């Protein structure tokens, strides 16, 4: 594996990037120390913003590079992106049915996953946001893994770093989305913060899986990039957006989603 800009190996870059995004999750979770109650309007706004960032990152940081790396595909440059995108949705769908979890603002009857009814709601909330972080970690790992097989590693590294920055920004409200509801259910501030922060620990783990896959199977890079995009879009549409539409703040949540999308688009086009 080649060295890249600043002399860092892609493995180290991916590790630093996911430690950054995990830290940002902890920063969001730490908001629980500053407030006594859950502000649903603020949380809906922040989650809407996070959803916008994820949608924009899915295209500019993942799908567009997947298409660009598929120009020699015999079927068509659209093929790897289409196949990978659909597989990404199916991948998270499988986790969604397997991992017990509960969506924010969902009733007790809407617990999902294997034997979810046997778990405490606080546990299910943590599992729900942990599920969010799997595609984000994969996306970062795959993006940095692409460095070893690209003719212009400095440009790819810049794009991967921009992706990590965007995911880190949107991890702040995701950390809040765990710790604040836990606090609202009566858990102590310290425990609420801890579980909110730990919900993001799967990002470095998923990044390792992503970078290993690309390091040893570089021909699947376009498929892998699109898979990460499909997984992120599934999470946004299946959980992030619906959770912002149930407290009467749908309009402002949508506006924040558009702001998040615009910010990530600017970051990716200007820096990526």
């Amino acid at each position: 594996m080649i060295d890249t800009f600043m002399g860092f190996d892609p493995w180290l870059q991916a590790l630093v990037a996911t430690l950054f995004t995990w830290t940002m999750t902890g920063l969001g979770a730490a908001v629980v120390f500053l407030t006594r109650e859950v502000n649903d309007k603020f949380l809906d706004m922040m989650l809407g913003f996070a959803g916008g960032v994820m949608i924009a990152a899915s295209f500019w940081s993942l799908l567009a590079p997947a298409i660009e790396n598929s120009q020699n595909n015999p079927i068509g440059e659209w093929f790897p992106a289409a196949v990978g995108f659909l597989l990404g949705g199916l991948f998270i769908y499988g986790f969604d049915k397997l991992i017990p979890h509960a969506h924010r603002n969902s009733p007790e009857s809407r617990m999902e996953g294997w034997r979810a009814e046997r778990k405490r709601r606080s546990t299910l909330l943590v599992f729900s946001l942990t599920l969010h972080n799997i595609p984000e970690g994969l996306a970062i790992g795959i993006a940095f893994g692409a460095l070893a097989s690209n003719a212009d590693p400095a440009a790819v590294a810049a794009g991967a770093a921009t992706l990590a920055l965007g995911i880190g920004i949107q991890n702040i409200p995701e950390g809040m989305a765990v710790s604040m509801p836990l606090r609202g259910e009566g858990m102590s501030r310290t425990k609420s913060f801890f579980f909110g922060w730990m919900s993001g620990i799967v990002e470095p783990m998923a990044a390792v899986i992503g970078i290993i896959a690309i390091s040893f199977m570089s021909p699947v890079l376009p498929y892998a990039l699109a898979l990460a995009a499909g997984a992120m879009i599934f999470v946004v549409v299946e959980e992030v957006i619906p959770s912002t539409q149930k407290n009467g703040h749908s309009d402002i949540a949508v506006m924040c989603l558009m702001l998040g999308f615009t910010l990530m688009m600017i970051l990716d086009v200007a820096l990526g």
Side-chain angles (χ1 to χ4, degrees), residues 207-228:
V208 169
I209 296 173
I211 200 169
I212 288 176
I214 296 305
S215 297
F216 294 99
M217 297 179 291
S218 58
V220 305
L221 174 61
Y223 297 90
L225 288 168
L227 183 145

Side-chain angles (χ1 to χ4, degrees), residues 175-267:
M176 293 168 51
V178 179
S179 65
M180 295 179 72
L182 292 180
R183 177 59 179 164
E185 292 192 359
M187 187 176 290
S188 70
R189 284 187 171 88
T190 301
K191 286 186 176 180
S192 298
F193 163 72
F194 177 78
F195 287 116
W197 189 22
M198 288 300 106
S199 69
I201 198 172
V202 295
E203 283 193 6
M205 300 176 184
V208 169
I209 296 173
I211 200 169
I212 288 176
I214 296 305
S215 297
F216 294 99
M217 297 179 291
S218 58
V220 305
L221 174 61
Y223 297 90
L225 288 168
L227 183 145
M232 289 176 67
I233 291 296
F234 185 96
V235 167
V236 173
V237 176
E238 200 266 344
E239 179 167 351
V240 176
I241 293 177
S243 73
T244 67
Q245 304 295 300
K246 299 177 181 179
N247 296 314
H249 312 127
S250 59
D251 289 342
I252 193 168
V254 171
M255 292 304 300
C256 287
L257 183 147
M258 296 181 70
L259 287 173
F261 183 97
T262 302
L263 176 62
M264 187 62 203
M265 177 181 66
I266 293 171
L267 287 174

Side-chain angles (χ1 to χ4, degrees), residues 66-207:
I67 294 171
E68 291 173 4
N69 281 275
S70 304
Q71 295 178 357
N72 297 323
N73 188 277
I75 298 178
E77 60 185 18
W78 55 268
F79 183 76
V83 172
F85 186 81
L86 294 175
L87 287 176
L90 289 174
F91 174 73
I92 294 299
Y93 175 79
F95 273 99
D96 193 66
K97 296 304 177 184
L98 178 64
I99 297 177
H101 64 284
H103 300 305
R104 174 176 169 259
N105 294 327
S106 63
E108 295 289 336
S109 60
R110 289 294 306 277
M111 295 179 179
E112 300 179 19
W114 186 60
R115 295 187 175 180
E117 70 282 355
R118 300 187 180 184
K119 307 291 184 182
R120 295 178 58 184
R121 183 169 177 82
S122 57
T123 301
L124 296 175
L125 287 170
V126 174
F127 283 176
S128 177
L129 269 294
T130 300
L131 183 63
H132 278 199
N133 290 312
I134 294 174
E136 295 169 8
L138 276 175
I140 293 174
I142 291 168
F144 280 101
L147 294 172
S149 59
N150 198 280
D152 189 3
V156 176
T162 303
L163 173 64
L165 176 62
I167 289 177
I169 292 172
Q170 64 91 40
N171 272 3
I172 296 176
E174 286 196 353
M176 293 168 51
V178 179
S179 65
M180 295 179 72
L182 292 180
R183 177 59 179 164
E185 292 192 359
M187 187 176 290
S188 70
R189 284 187 171 88
T190 301
K191 286 186 176 180
S192 298
F193 163 72
F194 177 78
F195 287 116
W197 189 22
M198 288 300 106
S199 69
I201 198 172
V202 295
E203 283 193 6
M205 300 176 184

